[in-house]
Amino acid sequence: MAHSYSARSRAIEPFHVMALLARANELQASGRDVIHLEIGEPDFTTAAPIVEAGQAALAAGHTRYTAARGLPALRESISGFYQQRYGLSIDPERILVTPGGSGALLLASSLLVDPGKHWLLADPGYPCNRHFLRLVEGGAQLVPVGPEVNYQLTADLVERYWDQDSVGALVASPANPTGTVLDRTELAGLSAATRAHNGHLVVDEIYHGLTYGMDAASVLEVDNDAFVLNSFSKYFGMTGWRLGWLVAPPAAVGDLEKLAQNLYISAPSMAQHAALACFEPQTLAILEERRGEFARRRDYLLPALRELGFKIAVEPQGAFYLYADISAFGGDAFAFCQHFLETEHVAFTPGLDFGRYQAGHHVRFAYTQSLPRLQEAVERIARGLRSWQG
């Protein structure tokens, strides 16, 4: 019998990298040594103090639902973190703990976007953002951005692309796939531009903490009414625990809580108890050490790839990605990625996963492997370039 599934499910594209990942896993299963530079997941396991806190929570029987907005103690801890990191006084009542950063995005898009309305998004950008908008019957107005604007939306671009169906703008700082960061002035400009149209500014700060040689500014330093998405996945290294948070203006909290109750009841309770250990000095010391390791990897891989002919126009200041233009080598990015996977067993991501603008000649490398593995990857890529016929 022919099934008729929803138009929204047909419109949401899969990650193209998943086909490459499946092939990479096949090659690995057959005994090949594959170097994974395709997935945005830190290679470090969750820091020991967090794991121990999770185990203690399970042993103590903390396996029941929590309040929809999250454990009060965890919301207090997150509030304290804003005070310590940014000098900001954020009322814990404004913080909702969510199942991953994705849960925060689900709440924000459900609250702010009516059918047929859209947010402005930078292209290239994280693909799930536009898919969440489609899920709530809204849409993404993709704004082409290049190195001349640091691959970021600007106040001018908001002004130029805003139309009668625009209700907000979503930006990411640091951004995936480019690693670029918005400074305080740029955030203030975006805030003013969206506010001038009675729109909402939503800022993905999921890679905060993973910046090199500088600290990223939070939009909350310049706009108390912005919506902030954050996560325990990247800096805190808790990807599989599925935990994030949303900071919202006070007036929005009641409606967001109602949505949370209905959409997922609560974030995982054992993950929340584990996350209480994230803000302990000993844990933060481990995380800062890891930040230093990511900086060393970036400082090795960036010049090494440029030397091979990859064009990386903007030095990323955060996250753990390099977004590279492969025009010099000719050919299509997906075929390029396939070639390196099949011949040299190095996996990286085609630009197609991050939007449409110049996607066919860009690829993303994640420096989520150790320095010796990155050095091995560069040797293999150098060899693979000799056999590539674009």
Side-chain angles (χ1 to χ4, degrees):
M1 154 182 170
H3 290 285
S4 175
Y5 297 129
S6 69
R8 86 176 65 81
S9 68
R10 291 194 300 275
I12 291 173
E13 302 159 47
F15 285 143
H16 296 90
V17 74
M18 287 307 172
L20 292 166
L21 181 60
R23 178 63 183 141
N25 290 338
E26 265 176 36
L27 288 166
Q28 217 162 282
S30 72
R32 302 293 200 286
D33 173 34
V34 177
I35 302 179
H36 292 278
L37 308 181
E38 78 279 40
I39 298 300
E41 179 166 40
D43 53 323
F44 303 108
T45 55
T46 302
I50 303 171
V51 173
E52 286 157 17
Q55 289 167 330
L58 287 171
H62 294 307
T63 57
R64 307 172 84 85
Y65 296 133
T66 69
R69 279 190 284 159
L71 285 178
L74 182 56
R75 292 192 287 117
E76 291 276 356
S77 293
I78 294 168
S79 170
F81 188 65
Y82 277 101
Q83 185 67 59
Q84 180 202 332
R85 275 279 155 112
Y86 309 98
L88 288 170
S89 180
I90 304 294
D91 186 345
E93 293 300 306
R94 295 174 54 193
I95 297 167
L96 292 96
V97 179
T98 58
S102 302
L105 183 56
L106 177 63
L107 288 185
S109 50
S110 301
L111 179 78
L112 301 176
V113 184
D114 272 323
K117 300 299 181 184
H118 57 238
W119 284 345
L120 272 53
L121 269 61
D123 176 3
Y126 179 58
C128 295
N129 294 338
R130 63 181 190 268
H131 296 154
F132 271 102
L133 291 169
R134 179 64 188 85
L135 187 71
V136 297
E137 304 296 337
Q141 170 98 350
L142 295 181
V143 178
V145 293
E148 68 290 341
V149 288
N150 246 7
Y151 298 102
Q152 290 280 5
L153 284 187
T154 63
D156 286 347
L157 287 169
V158 168
E159 206 47 61
R160 195 181 325 159
Y161 281 86
W162 197 276
D163 64 26
Q164 75 279 3
D165 291 322
S166 306
V167 292
L170 169 62
V171 295
S173 175
N176 175 10
T178 59
T180 62
V181 172
L182 291 160
D183 65 28
R184 199 177 273 98
T185 307
E186 290 163 332
L187 289 165
L190 287 163
S191 167
T194 49
R195 199 183 289 258
H197 293 284
N198 291 320
H200 297 281
L201 180 59
V202 184
V203 184
D204 164 350
E205 298 187 352
I206 284 168
Y207 291 94
H208 268 227
L210 291 175
T211 50
Y212 314 112
M214 49 91 74
D215 286 318
S218 172
V219 69
L220 296 169
E221 296 171 40
V222 297
D223 183 351
N224 209 33
D225 290 326
F227 289 78
V228 174
L229 315 172
N230 212 322
S231 171
F232 286 94
S233 289
K234 309 300 182 180
Y235 176 66
F236 296 103
M238 294 179 70
T239 48
W241 299 76
R242 306 313 304 131
L243 203 62
W245 75 84
L246 174 67
V247 183
V253 170
D255 284 316
L256 287 166
E257 182 173 24
K258 176 182 66 180
L259 286 166
Q261 288 165 344
N262 281 278
L263 291 171
Y264 53 77
I265 302 178
S266 66
S269 51
M270 58 290 289
Q272 293 187 62
H273 283 278
L276 287 168
C278 285
F279 308 104
E280 298 293 335
Q282 58 164 341
T283 309
L284 291 171
I286 295 167
L287 302 180
E288 285 300 304
E289 204 175 287
R290 292 177 176 186
R291 186 217 294 237
E293 176 60 22
F294 280 122
R296 286 187 286 280
R297 295 174 184 185
R298 180 201 65 167
D299 294 346
Y300 164 71
L301 192 59
L302 178 63
L305 289 175
R306 280 175 169 166
E307 212 167 285
L308 293 178
F310 290 88
K311 188 180 174 197
I312 302 165
V314 178
E315 177 172 311
Q317 296 164 294
F320 33 64
Y321 307 117
L322 297 173
Y323 195 59
D325 184 338
I326 60 164
S327 306
F329 311 120
D332 156 78
F334 194 83
F336 189 79
C337 291
Q338 278 181 313
H339 167 77
F340 283 89
L341 180 58
E342 296 296 340
T343 62
E344 300 298 337
H345 309 133
V346 180
F348 44 91
T349 309
L352 201 56
D353 269 341
F354 307 106
R356 303 189 179 97
Y357 182 58
Q358 300 185 340
H361 57 85
H362 279 82
V363 297
R364 186 195 75 177
F365 297 91
Y367 43 93
T368 49
Q369 297 288 320
S370 68
L371 264 175
R373 292 294 277 167
L374 293 179
Q375 287 161 343
E376 169 72 18
V378 167
E379 284 173 27
R380 294 188 194 183
I381 291 166
R383 196 166 57 218
L385 285 171
R386 295 196 283 276
S387 62
W388 164 251
Q389 305 297 320

